[in-house]
Amino acid sequence: MRRYVQGLVVLSLCVAAFAVGCRRNQPSLIDRNQPPDTQLWFAPPDSTEYEYLVHMYWRGVDNDGTATRFIWTVRDTLATDAFRWSPAERLNDYREGRITSRTDSLFSFTAYKDVAGVGVRKSRQAFYVASIDDNGVIDPTPAAVEFVATIDRLPEMRFVTYIDGVAHPYSSDRTPPADTVGMFKPFQISYHGITRNGNIQAYEFFPLSSTIVLPGANIWSEDLTDTLRSFPNTGVDALPAGSFRFAARCLDEANAQSQVDAGQFRRGVCQVVVNFDPDTRITEVFNTYFRNNQEFTTPINFTDGVPDTVPFRSWVNYRYNAWDDNRDVRLCSPTDPDKCIDFQVKYVRDSNRVPGAREDSGWLPRNGRHDSDANSATDSNTVNIGSLEYEWYARGIDENGTPDGTPPLFKIVGNYDPILDSMAMRDHFNQPLNLATVDTLTWNFYKGIGWPYNAETDTFDTGTGKYTKKFGWSINATGHDDPRDPIGSAVQSWRYYVYTNYNAGTNTGTFWALGRAGNSWFPGPSVNFMTDTFQLTVRYNDPDGDDLFANQPGYFNNLVTIVMYGRDTRSISGDFEQNVYLNEVPSGAVAGSGPSKKNLINAFPTGELGRWTPRKVVQFYLKFER
């Protein structure tokens, strides 16, 4: 095209010189030839949104000749008048354009922009076209239209992995499945794109993990048949154990690119897990406890899914084994998979009675792994038990550092619940209430029965300007600890609540602070026994008390509920230190003794985490009598 333009200029100069020399009184041919005019007579509406695929029509009008060809280009946007595309005026603009003799064409406009890594499915586009007449003169004011090209969806990638000769197809619009390949085993990954926007034009691929070098990575290729990548996975090309992620993307006719989600791996990413997990199995669980200086060991059924309860401060020992997957190539012992296994253990403790009691030990030992026994991959672990709920885990780890991703577990409850045997109350006459039914506690106001069970006259309170009288009653309870807990265990502290408007379903109501109701746990006068006395002060204006019957307190003539609990640890208790022992059950062991001690979790206060009795509820009415 450059030669054509230069030849036209030389010819024009010769014609002009001849005309000047021979017929100076006549206007030149260049002066007489007028530039053509260009019309876009079918195009998208200006400055509106339109589909990316547009059929454009144009035509040229030349008053002194014929428009024989056209030159066109596409830009992102219309520039100002001073910088609009003009191939008649600027050589660079001419070189940018494309020459055609057609008067229509179907165009795929760019409808995709990458804005800060986010794909936007619309893009402003500008189309220019200028006529060229039969003398090579170009319309200096090309016809132009500007609109927003849009697409409904971006293209998407699909992947297929080939492992041991088996194809594993999956879609990249969801989390990639964990297709697994054996350690040092070769595999392949193929990919292809799908789009609604015409056809796929090019592909690009690249790894997201590992230091592997892939020839052709990070280069767009228009060869749509070269979409199979091979991974020898041996020697210098061996992939480390773990997730290997491979990404690919495609480009379609709308210039839209499929997306690569390198954060959640939901789009444009194929994942292959290198190295199969070892398998771990818990084989036996035993409980060891001590009574009268004798050691007792009983098996625990850990396979029924129901957590067993074991005595407080006893020991739980469990044995486990593991083996490596035979689809891996082994480095340590090709013939004996047991030799390729080490172990870690983990404990999670919690309490359904005390918020914030949950702690997770993490995998132990924290600095690595502990070896299997000398002649097999069987191992054991022992932990002493506090008053908590536990989950126990074990996992094998192979020679490549891959742990069992689905480690087995079992659950244990430490410490049996204590039992609340009885609950009794006495009124202001020191007579027992019948708690088997809803009894009524009646006070005769004028008899002056006061505290504690003797007559008391009215007292005038100068601070409040009211008369006062005190009434009282008592409550006591007995209980005992489960006999399967250590000898000497007992109910050592108590707590109770007094309510009106009590709701048994939610164990709530309008709280009434009488005696030590609602306070922290408190000890009884002796183990397994609790007693407390209530003192109720009634204030009234009339020295005869008549106004009290007209305006009685809300808890009178109302149902009163007392909810009682006992606990098997003292209200102020020492710490219980929990310990882990690897590879042994210490005979006669106590907390903190024996070799190989590993502190599982820091010491915790047994006073707060003791086991509670089931709640006991009694109800009665309060009533004043004249």
Side-chain angles (χ1 to χ4, degrees):
M1 298 306 296
R2 185 181 302 174
R3 290 180 185 173
Y4 175 81
V5 173
Q6 292 173 344
L8 180 62
V9 173
V10 173
L11 176 62
S12 299
L13 291 175
C14 292
V15 173
F18 180 80
V20 171
C22 300
R23 301 175 61 184
R24 294 182 179 275
N25 59 335
Q26 297 293 329
S28 69
L29 292 176
I30 296 177
D31 293 337
R32 288 200 300 269
N33 185 41
Q34 299 299 312
D37 183 53
T38 313
Q39 299 174 354
L40 266 172
W41 63 277
F42 185 83
D46 197 27
S47 299
T48 60
E49 292 189 3
Y50 209 77
E51 292 184 0
Y52 83 100
L53 195 64
V54 183
H55 198 161
M56 309 281 281
Y57 294 82
W58 57 86
R59 60 188 174 188
V61 178
D62 189 15
N63 293 329
D64 56 359
T66 303
T68 60
R69 294 173 299 158
F70 302 89
I71 184 171
W72 62 271
T73 193
V74 174
R75 289 184 169 182
D76 288 340
T77 183
L78 291 174
T80 61
D81 290 341
F83 297 99
R84 288 169 65 93
W85 181 71
S86 180
E89 299 175 356
R90 290 183 289 273
L91 182 59
N92 285 340
D93 287 1
Y94 181 83
R95 290 173 174 171
E96 177 187 331
R98 299 184 182 184
I99 303 293
T100 182
S101 59
R102 297 182 57 170
T103 57
D104 72 291
S105 188
L106 188 65
F107 293 89
S108 295
F109 287 94
T110 298
Y112 174 83
K113 275 190 174 182
D114 190 344
V115 180
V118 178
V120 180
R121 292 176 293 193
K122 57 178 59 180
S123 178
R124 188 171 295 278
Q125 296 284 277
F127 177 77
Y128 296 84
V129 62
S131 304
I132 306 175
D133 69 10
D134 50 356
N135 287 311
V137 176
I138 303 174
D139 182 357
T141 57
V145 64
E146 184 181 49
F147 62 97
V148 176
T150 65
I151 54 176
D152 291 334
R153 291 181 61 179
L154 297 177
E156 298 176 357
M157 293 299 298
R158 297 291 185 268
F159 296 91
V160 178
T161 61
Y162 300 90
I163 300 172
D164 292 330
V166 179
H168 303 270
Y170 64 93
S171 170
S172 60
D173 59 359
R174 58 184 173 86
T175 301
D179 292 340
T180 305
V181 63
M183 199 71 184
F184 310 119
K185 294 289 188 72
F187 64 95
Q188 294 176 309
I189 298 176
S190 68
Y191 50 90
H192 72 279
I194 60 172
T195 183
R196 294 182 179 180
N197 314 318
N199 298 313
I200 299 297
Q201 302 293 312
Y203 288 109
E204 181 190 30
F205 67 88
F206 47 91
L208 288 178
S209 55
S210 154
T211 57
I212 187 173
V213 177
L214 299 178
N218 300 292
I219 299 175
W220 284 100
S221 171
E222 296 182 0
D223 184 355
L224 303 184
T225 64
D226 183 19
T227 59
L228 180 66
R229 308 271 77 84
S230 297
F231 302 88
N233 195 21
T234 57
V236 295
D237 295 322
L239 296 171
S243 294
F244 170 72
R245 295 186 176 100
F246 172 86
R249 55 183 177 176
C250 60
L251 182 73
D252 65 18
E253 289 183 353
N255 203 41
Q257 298 177 13
S258 61
Q259 294 183 312
V260 174
D261 178 3
Q264 298 296 320
F265 313 113
R266 293 183 179 273
R267 295 181 299 275
V269 178
C270 176
Q271 176 175 269
V272 175
V273 177
V274 180
N275 193 22
F276 287 93
D277 290 3
D279 292 318
T280 313
R281 181 180 300 165
I282 296 173
T283 58
E284 295 177 300
V285 181
F286 294 95
N287 175 230
T288 300
Y289 58 95
F290 306 94
R291 183 163 291 127
N292 296 327
N293 295 321
Q294 292 186 5
E295 178 180 320
F296 299 89
T297 299
T298 59
I300 292 176
N301 182 6
F302 61 95
T303 62
D304 59 1
V306 179
D308 283 28
T309 302
V310 299
F312 182 52
R313 295 182 182 264
S314 64
W315 298 84
V316 167
N317 170 261
Y318 65 107
R319 301 184 67 81
Y320 40 88
N321 59 25
W323 56 94
D324 203 2
D325 196 289
N326 58 15
R327 290 170 289 184
D328 286 328
V329 175
R330 299 181 187 88
L331 295 179
C332 60
S333 177
T335 60
D336 187 358
D338 294 345
K339 296 295 185 182
C340 302
I341 296 295
D342 289 329
F343 289 100
Q344 286 182 324
V345 293
K346 184 173 79 164
Y347 309 89
V348 178
R349 76 177 196 193
D350 207 345
S351 171
N352 58 14
R353 308 173 305 284
V354 180
R358 180 179 176 85
E359 289 197 53
D360 189 327
S361 71
W363 289 104
L364 300 172
R366 292 187 176 90
N367 60 348
R369 304 172 290 219
H370 68 86
D371 297 333
S372 61
D373 290 346
N375 299 317
S376 71
T378 301
D379 216 326
S380 62
N381 193 41
T382 305
V383 177
N384 60 322
I385 302 301
S387 182
L388 299 160
E389 293 84 54
Y390 297 91
E391 293 178 356
W392 315 82
Y393 298 82
R395 69 179 184 183
I397 304 174
D398 68 14
E399 80 278 15
N400 300 300
T402 299
D404 186 347
T406 55
L409 80 154
F410 68 96
K411 298 180 180 181
I412 287 291
V413 175
N415 194 6
Y416 290 95
D417 288 344
I419 299 165
L420 201 155
D421 297 315
S422 67
M423 185 172 170
M425 294 184 61
R426 289 181 176 272
D427 64 10
H428 54 294
F429 295 109
N430 204 18
Q431 297 297 315
L433 272 70
N434 182 8
L435 300 183
T437 61
V438 180
D439 207 348
T440 301
L441 197 163
T442 304
W443 283 334
N444 189 311
F445 184 79
Y446 291 114
K447 286 186 178 180
I449 301 300
W451 181 264
Y453 319 125
N454 55 6
E456 181 180 278
T457 58
D458 300 324
T459 302
F460 181 74
D461 185 350
T462 57
T464 61
K466 294 179 180 293
Y467 292 90
T468 64
K469 185 169 290 198
K470 297 178 181 180
F471 300 85
W473 70 91
S474 68
I475 181 173
N476 58 64
T478 63
H480 69 278
D481 201 4
D482 192 289
R484 290 169 291 185
D485 277 330
I487 293 177
S489 296
V491 178
Q492 301 187 67
S493 54
W494 304 85
R495 194 170 192 176
Y496 64 89
Y497 299 86
V498 181
Y499 298 108
T500 56
N501 306 315
Y502 177 68
N503 185 323
T506 61
N507 195 33
T508 59
T510 303
F511 178 68
W512 184 17
L514 280 180
R516 285 186 282 193
N519 291 335
S520 300
W521 294 90
F522 63 91
S526 61
V527 296
N528 294 328
F529 177 71
M530 186 282 296
T531 184
D532 197 15
T533 51
F534 300 155
Q535 177 175 293
L536 175 63
T537 300
V538 180
R539 294 179 173 83
Y540 49 96
N541 295 316
D542 185 352
D544 295 328
D546 290 338
D547 65 321
L548 177 63
F549 291 92
N551 301 286
Q552 293 190 40
Y555 41 79
F556 278 87
N557 298 313
N558 205 339
L559 185 65
V560 177
T561 302
I562 297 182
V563 182
M564 174 71 70
Y565 300 88
R567 196 180 65 186
D568 61 1
T569 54
R570 292 171 294 176
S571 57
I572 300 176
S573 180
D575 291 339
F576 174 68
E577 187 178 84
Q578 195 163 14
N579 302 287
V580 179
Y581 292 79
L582 298 177
N583 302 328
E584 74 173 300
V585 180
S587 179
V590 296
S593 68
S596 304
K597 174 183 171 183
K598 303 285 185 182
N599 284 330
L600 167 62
I601 306 171
N602 292 334
F604 59 90
T606 57
E608 293 181 9
L609 300 181
R611 196 63 67 169
W612 301 7
T613 66
R615 69 188 180 193
K616 191 171 185 62
V617 177
V618 297
Q619 293 180 311
F620 56 92
Y621 286 95
L622 285 180
K623 181 180 178 181
F624 266 147
E625 190 176 76
R626 291 177 184 272

